[in-house]
Amino acid sequence: MTVNFLAGVFLPVSNLERSVDFYTKELGLRCRGIERWGESRAATLFTHPDKDDYGMLCLEETASKIVPAPKPFFNLNVSGVEALHKSLHNRFIRVSDLEVWDSPWNTHMMFDVYDPDGHPINLIEWAPKEIC
C-alpha cells in the first residue's frame, strides 16, 4: 500500500451555513454543496476553483459542544498572506499576530485565523531561499 495524498480534513461545526459562509467568503474555498451524511448535514470544500479533488475540507454539523483545539491541526498555503491578515483584522475577524520565521530552505510568513466555532486555521506563505 502507498499513501497518495492527504484526502481531507474533517471539522465539527455548530452551524453549517455560517461555517460555509466563513470558509467561502473569508478564505476563498469553494463549496460543492450541503449534503446528508447519515443523520447529519455536511459540506465539502475545495482549495482549487474548478476541481473536486484538491484540498478537501469537510465540515460536519453537530449538536455536540464544539471544543476547538489549542493549536491548528492543519494549515492552508496562501498568496498575499500579509494583505489577507490585514483585511481579516480590519473586518474584526479574530486573527493571531503575523509571524515571520526562517528555516534552512524557506522564509515563512503566517498567522492563525479562527472560524466561527473557534477552530484555529493556520494560513502560511513561504518563499524559497537561495541555497548554494
Side-chain angles (χ1 to χ4, degrees):
M1 176 188 82
T2 301
V3 174
N4 297 315
F5 54 86
L6 179 65
V9 174
F10 296 81
L11 284 179
V13 298
S14 61
N15 180 305
L16 190 57
E17 285 79 9
R18 180 181 67 175
S19 293
V20 167
D21 191 57
F22 172 81
Y23 283 97
T24 58
K25 291 182 180 173
E26 304 303 341
L27 301 185
L29 299 181
R30 182 180 59 80
C31 180
R32 177 171 63 197
I34 293 177
E35 311 161 12
R36 272 264 172 236
W37 289 2
E39 297 297 315
S40 62
R41 295 180 331 129
T44 304
L45 297 100
F46 302 91
T47 59
H48 197 281
D50 58 3
K51 293 189 178 184
D52 284 355
D53 57 352
Y54 276 74
M56 290 175 42
L57 175 62
C58 302
L59 307 174
E60 184 174 10
E61 192 170 55
T62 180
S64 301
K65 181 179 182 202
I66 304 290
V67 180
K71 293 183 178 182
F73 283 128
F74 65 94
N75 61 18
L76 298 172
N77 179 266
V78 299
S79 299
V81 72
E82 197 167 8
L84 179 58
H85 181 267
K86 184 177 182 177
S87 174
L88 293 169
H89 181 267
N90 287 345
R91 290 194 321 277
F92 303 102
I93 295 170
R94 183 177 166 209
V95 294
S96 67
D97 291 338
L98 192 63
E99 297 178 43
V100 178
W101 58 279
D102 287 324
S103 73
W105 307 274
N106 300 300
T107 297
H108 306 80
M109 188 178 292
M110 66 182 197
F111 67 95
D112 296 340
V113 62
Y114 296 83
D115 80 358
D117 287 300
H119 295 294
I121 310 300
N122 182 259
L123 303 178
I124 187 166
E125 181 175 23
W126 62 79
K129 288 183 176 180
E130 288 191 33
I131 300 174
C132 300

